[in-house]
Amino acid sequence: MADAKVIPFDDDRSRASRGAGSRRRGSAAESAPVGEGPGGEVQPLPVRGAAAQDLAEPEEPDESPGARPTTEGGGEEGGEDGGLERRVAAGLSFLRRRLTGDYEVDDFGYDAELTDQVLMSLLRPMYEKYFRVEVKGVENIPAQGGALIVANHSGTLPLDGLMMQVAVHDHHPADRHLRLLAADLVFVLPVVNELARKLGHTLACAEDAERLLAQGELVGVMPEGFKGIGKPFGERYKLQRFGRGGFVSTALRQGVPIVPCSIVGAEEIYPMIGNSKTLARLLGFPYFPLTPTFPWLGPLGAVPLPTKWTIQFGEPIPTDGYVPEAAEDPVLMFNLTDQVREQIQHTLYKLLVQRRSVFF
């Protein structure tokens, strides 16, 4: 694998390649079998003659005590049988759309249907049962319009970004979806590349971030990058440098609020006690972690520790009150970057003091 490099967030250059464009492959009306409508629902066949008259004049329902409407199979209407049938029908309809290509993705490759019905369902057990994530301050995320969520980054593997994405998806009252900005290494790894695109992730460059914000999307960024996710265990919860303030410049140009986000619990899932730089260079990785279990226990060492997580979204910092030229002011960018960083760091210390245990 070629050496991966991180594209700075404030780099205005265009990406060399982009995900699949917005498309709708096939038409539900054209590909649906006989008897099915455009949405995959079974349509009633036309009835004529005496049969139609019988249907038009149904018998009086039995109003005796205890009488309940039943389904054809003998179960109660709306009972378990009916619910199971609806789920099976919905599942088959979903499979038909996937096989026929009758689904949509946007310019970045984001597949909303696959994310909602499959990918989030796969991440949710880890979120709810394994890490038992507690979410605070989700109401600080705007209900509509563009916004930039800035969070700390840690944990050796970027599970914190995925858990933050589930937190917004499942807990925000407006059912918003978070679009994460990721390093270019994510988009050169097989399988990971496709899954990241389907989840709505895109390259961490200013051009993509501005396009998403201009479309009113919720965008997430972790400015520490590899410096944060690959730091030694002894430096846990100590924020690294936030780059050159590119995320602040992007927020200023679009006039969207910046929402600080603090994540506690991710630092301990893979306690990084060493870094094999030789293996990292051979594999083209920014670092090769050595933990108490990896690589000594093989694949078993890649299982994260079941720590207890807390994700807190802070008060938004508005940027719409600045003139357009403010995005080019280095002093203002430095001050706002420092303000966001300090707010995240202060919240991290506060959450750590309140935490009873790493695992409970």
Side-chain angles (χ1 to χ4, degrees):
M1 180 184 297
D3 288 351
K5 63 178 182 177
V6 180
I7 296 181
F9 181 70
D10 47 273
D11 187 357
D12 289 330
R13 61 183 175 174
S14 301
R15 298 180 303 164
S17 63
R18 188 173 304 281
S22 178
R23 59 186 182 274
R24 184 177 184 87
R25 298 182 295 181
S27 170
E30 296 173 357
S31 60
V34 176
E36 288 190 7
E41 299 178 354
V42 178
Q43 302 298 314
L45 295 175
V47 182
R48 299 181 180 179
Q53 184 176 0
D54 292 341
L55 291 176
E57 299 178 359
E59 296 181 0
E60 291 295 329
D62 183 5
E63 298 182 356
S64 60
R68 303 177 66 93
T70 59
T71 61
E72 187 174 322
E76 293 184 0
E77 184 178 8
E80 294 183 2
D81 291 344
L84 178 60
E85 290 176 0
R86 286 193 296 270
R87 288 194 295 269
V88 171
L92 293 176
S93 178
F94 172 80
L95 289 176
R96 181 185 61 79
R97 289 193 298 273
R98 309 312 296 186
L99 293 174
T100 59
D102 184 24
Y103 59 90
E104 294 180 349
V105 297
D106 69 4
D107 291 342
F108 299 92
Y110 170 49
D111 190 330
E113 183 184 47
L114 184 67
T115 296
D116 291 339
Q117 298 193 24
V118 178
L119 300 181
M120 284 294 164
S121 298
L122 295 176
L123 292 172
R124 196 167 288 119
M126 178 178 288
Y127 173 90
E128 294 179 348
K129 306 298 183 182
Y130 198 78
F131 294 135
R132 295 147 291 148
V133 181
E134 179 183 0
V135 180
K136 300 180 179 180
V138 71
E139 66 277 0
N140 289 321
I141 301 175
Q144 58 185 0
L148 187 66
I149 296 181
V150 182
N152 59 303
H153 207 13
S154 61
T156 305
L157 292 180
L159 296 180
D160 51 359
L162 296 176
M163 296 300 102
M164 182 171 65
Q165 195 170 3
V166 178
V168 174
H169 182 275
D170 286 3
H171 294 279
H172 195 278
D175 297 326
R176 303 209 63 180
H177 181 75
L178 181 63
R179 308 291 294 269
L180 289 175
L181 304 177
D184 61 342
L185 177 61
V186 172
F187 301 104
V188 299
L189 296 174
V191 181
V192 174
N193 169 35
E194 289 297 323
L195 291 176
R197 290 290 185 190
K198 298 294 185 183
L199 274 165
H201 303 178
T202 190
L203 198 63
C205 66
E207 181 191 33
D208 284 0
E210 288 189 25
R211 284 187 60 196
L212 288 171
L213 291 172
Q215 295 171 10
E217 297 284 356
L218 197 61
V219 178
V221 62
M222 296 173 164
E224 292 176 281
F226 291 128
K227 299 188 300 295
I229 196 175
K231 63 177 177 288
F233 186 67
E235 298 181 13
R236 60 191 179 280
Y237 298 114
K238 296 179 181 178
L239 294 184
Q240 305 298 302
R241 184 171 173 267
F242 268 23
R244 293 174 291 175
F247 70 91
V248 170
S249 177
T250 300
L252 286 170
R253 276 195 284 266
Q254 295 299 319
V256 299
I258 300 173
V259 181
C261 177
S262 303
I263 304 175
V264 166
E267 293 275 15
E268 294 90 0
I269 60 174
Y270 296 111
M272 186 169 165
I273 58 177
N275 177 20
S276 177
K277 297 182 179 179
T278 301
L279 286 175
R281 284 195 298 268
L282 290 175
L283 296 173
F285 294 159
Y287 56 88
F288 188 88
L290 303 175
T291 74
T293 58
F294 183 82
W296 331 113
L297 299 182
L300 187 61
V303 177
L305 296 178
T307 58
K308 176 73 169 63
W309 287 34
T310 301
I311 299 178
Q312 179 162 334
F313 300 96
E315 292 284 342
I317 300 172
T319 65
D320 54 353
Y322 297 95
V323 296
E325 294 78 14
E328 309 300 329
D329 185 348
V331 176
L332 177 61
M333 283 194 297
F334 175 80
N335 290 337
L336 285 176
T337 301
D338 192 56
Q339 179 183 351
V340 175
R341 186 179 181 277
E342 287 300 318
Q343 187 168 336
I344 295 174
Q345 183 70 81
H346 176 75
T347 304
L348 286 175
Y349 287 148
K350 182 179 177 181
L351 293 174
L352 288 171
V353 170
Q354 297 173 351
R355 184 170 67 167
R356 295 177 301 169
S357 167
V358 173
F359 299 102
F360 304 102

